[in-house]
Amino acid sequence: MKVLIVEDDRVTRMLQQRYLTDWGFDIQILTDGQEAYDYLTQSQLPKPLIVLLDWVMPKRDGLEILQALQESGNFAGIYVIMVTSKREGEEIAKALDNGADDYLRKPFHPKELQARINVGVRTLQNENQLIEQNHLLDRFGNEMHELAEERAKQLVHADRMASLGVMSAGIAHEINNSSSFISGNVQTFSRVWERMLKSIDELLKTQPDTMPDKQLFEFVLDEVPDMLDGMRQGVSRIHAIVKGLTEYSRDDCGKMDAVDLKKCVDDSLVICQNRIKHIGKIDINIQPVNGKVYGIANQIEQVIINLLGNAADELEQTPESRIEIAVVQDGDHALIRIMDNGKGVSPELADRIFDPFFTTKGVGKGTGLGLAICSKILANHNGKLSLDQSYENGACFVIDLPIHDTEVHP
């Protein structure tokens, strides 16, 4: 620890220097009050610091320096021992009232000097520990505040999802009613169009000159079938999206049933198709599984959707972007592998990406909770989520779920 000796008397200064050097302290020496004032009031003062401060000195005395330190607010990390030949109790009290931590009367015994220096060392060490503990408490408080805010956001989101689950049946009913009208009209028009097609085709062959706009009729003949197919596909897509949203928002907590992994993948792709529409190529390879996987389908879909969303975010600026989804069996486990050709995950981050609130996305683009929640979901299924670090073409996340030969009753 550093000790500053401020002493104008050469003999006293030499004794202090010799003793403190023998005791292993880092020594700095100043010989008048102005030097001490300039040193102790600097902004970058090295701390912790013990000061042996003489009271009576040229230019500025020790009491003035104490008062200057108090005014600067620079006392933290400094322990001041006033060294004086004064004997009156009122004078000693005045020094202590102005900020001195201790005093040492001249002439002093080496043992007394050592004891008072040791008190200063212990005091500064305890003060430093308290500062570190306060910093830890502040950091803990900030983290708890952030956790509370994030938890509140999760609860709001959960409440919205619960509301969506309640509303989804009614919404699905209304949308399906509307799409049913569209579907019914498309079917009716298709039947009528078959009859009209024959009449128009016959007119074009037998009475071409009576047609008011032959090119228009030819265009209609070519385009109407494609328009009808497009409307049929649109209606089917509406039904698929409504069904997927209804199942995804449904509360199935605790209801473990046999899960169709292919359907989970297909429904997940439907739900997040807008999120992944910029992906150049999506390959799907689903192999049959011998046995049954038990779980909560919409929760497994939630994991797949999260991983697909992460991959889509990663590939936003990637030319020839590609996502591959594979379902394979590995012994008594079913593996859903979701791979992309992005930059991948560095080894330095691989162990941290599943930690809550850790994110590699920019500010406002991620909470750092997605993978942590996915890991928890799969743990509740006696499975796990992992990063395949041997995959060299980007990132590969693996959903691992146990396969059962017999029915499971969780």
Side-chain angles (χ1 to χ4, degrees):
M1 184 174 290
K2 190 177 185 69
V3 177
L4 174 66
I5 298 173
V6 184
E7 177 61 62
D8 65 324
D9 181 70
R10 186 173 63 87
V11 175
T12 304
R13 188 169 64 241
M14 289 176 62
L15 287 172
Q16 291 175 343
Q17 181 181 6
R18 189 183 75 184
Y19 294 144
L20 291 167
T21 301
D22 289 344
W23 298 333
F25 289 97
D26 179 17
I27 306 301
Q28 183 167 347
I29 297 174
L30 300 175
T31 58
D32 66 59
Q34 187 60 49
E35 286 182 349
Y37 175 85
D38 294 339
Y39 183 84
L40 292 171
T41 54
Q42 64 176 306
S43 58
Q44 300 297 324
L45 184 64
K47 297 177 182 180
L49 177 66
I50 295 176
V51 182
L52 288 173
L53 181 63
D54 188 20
W55 190 319
V56 181
M57 292 181 293
K59 298 182 181 179
R60 286 180 184 266
D61 64 24
L63 204 58
E64 288 182 83
I65 295 171
L66 285 174
Q67 292 168 348
L69 271 174
Q70 278 196 326
E71 291 173 1
S72 69
N74 206 21
F75 254 123
I78 301 175
Y79 189 88
V80 180
I81 302 174
M82 185 69 86
V83 183
T84 178
S85 58
K86 296 179 183 292
R87 293 288 190 268
E88 296 297 329
E90 289 184 3
E91 293 176 317
I92 299 300
K94 188 175 182 181
L96 296 173
D97 287 341
N98 278 276
D101 297 287
D102 200 354
Y103 69 93
L104 180 67
R105 288 193 179 101
K106 298 177 184 179
F108 54 81
H109 191 281
K111 290 291 185 183
E112 183 182 2
L113 173 61
Q114 186 177 28
R116 294 186 184 278
I117 289 288
N118 288 338
V119 170
V121 170
R122 290 197 299 270
T123 301
L124 290 175
Q125 287 175 342
N126 290 335
E127 181 180 297
N128 188 57
Q129 288 178 357
L130 285 173
I131 291 172
E132 290 180 356
Q133 289 174 356
N134 285 334
H135 288 161
L136 287 174
L137 287 172
D138 287 342
R139 190 175 72 181
F140 179 74
N142 290 333
E143 290 177 354
M144 290 303 296
H145 179 70
E146 292 174 359
L147 284 169
E149 286 188 339
E150 194 57 46
R151 180 57 178 162
K153 292 178 183 178
Q154 291 180 44
L155 290 173
V156 170
H157 178 69
D159 183 65
R160 288 176 178 169
M161 290 302 294
S163 299
L164 177 61
V166 173
M167 294 165 53
S168 60
I171 294 173
H173 178 72
E174 294 299 326
I175 293 177
N176 284 334
N177 279 345
S178 299
S179 62
S180 295
F181 285 120
I182 298 172
S183 178
N185 290 334
V186 169
Q187 292 176 12
T188 300
F189 186 73
S190 296
R191 290 193 296 269
V192 173
W193 175 249
E194 291 178 1
R195 299 175 185 175
M196 293 176 61
L197 184 61
K198 294 179 181 178
S199 300
I200 294 172
D201 188 53
E202 186 176 345
L203 283 173
L204 286 172
K205 290 178 180 179
T206 59
Q207 304 178 38
D209 296 336
T210 62
M211 303 297 291
D213 191 339
K214 183 178 179 181
Q215 290 183 343
L216 176 62
F217 275 93
E218 289 176 345
F219 173 80
V220 169
L221 289 173
D222 290 336
E223 293 298 322
V224 167
D226 292 337
M227 293 170 62
L228 290 172
D229 287 339
M231 284 187 280
R232 292 190 193 98
Q233 292 174 10
V235 171
S236 298
R237 184 180 175 188
I238 289 172
H239 285 304
I241 292 173
V242 170
K243 182 180 179 183
L245 284 173
T246 302
E247 293 182 354
Y248 181 66
S249 61
R250 188 178 62 222
D251 182 12
D252 283 340
C253 184
K255 300 175 183 176
M256 294 278 188
D257 293 311
V259 175
D260 184 344
L261 296 182
K262 180 180 183 305
K263 185 176 184 300
C264 286
V265 171
D266 291 341
D267 289 348
S268 300
L269 288 168
V270 169
I271 291 174
C272 63
Q273 60 185 214
N274 189 62
R275 185 104 178 259
I276 60 176
K277 63 183 179 183
H278 66 278
I279 303 301
K281 186 177 182 182
I282 298 178
D283 294 325
I284 302 172
N285 177 21
I286 299 179
Q287 299 179 12
V289 172
N290 295 323
K292 293 184 178 181
V293 174
Y294 286 88
I296 302 170
N298 69 310
Q299 290 188 3
I300 295 174
E301 290 169 16
Q302 180 179 346
V303 176
I304 298 172
I305 289 167
N306 185 278
L307 297 176
L308 288 174
N310 287 347
D313 291 342
E314 175 66 24
L315 297 174
E316 275 187 354
Q317 306 300 325
T318 302
E320 299 182 3
S321 56
R322 176 178 56 81
I323 292 177
E324 181 180 352
I325 306 171
V327 177
V328 298
Q329 182 168 350
D330 182 15
D332 56 355
H333 288 260
L335 307 180
I336 305 175
R337 299 169 61 88
I338 298 178
M339 298 155 277
D340 65 65
N341 64 332
K343 294 180 295 185
V345 180
S346 67
E348 295 79 15
L349 300 179
D351 294 332
R352 301 183 61 196
I353 56 175
F354 297 104
D355 294 342
F357 304 106
F358 178 80
T359 179
T360 58
K361 298 180 181 179
V363 176
K365 294 185 177 180
T367 63
L369 286 170
L371 292 179
I373 292 173
C374 290
S375 295
K376 183 177 179 181
I377 287 173
L378 293 176
N380 292 337
H381 286 70
N382 295 319
K384 65 179 180 179
L385 176 64
S386 62
L387 173 70
D388 184 355
Q389 297 187 56
S390 66
Y391 188 74
E392 297 179 350
N393 299 320
C396 174
F397 287 88
V398 182
I399 300 170
D400 186 331
L401 293 165
I403 299 174
H404 302 274
D405 295 328
T406 58
E407 187 173 351
V408 173
H409 300 282

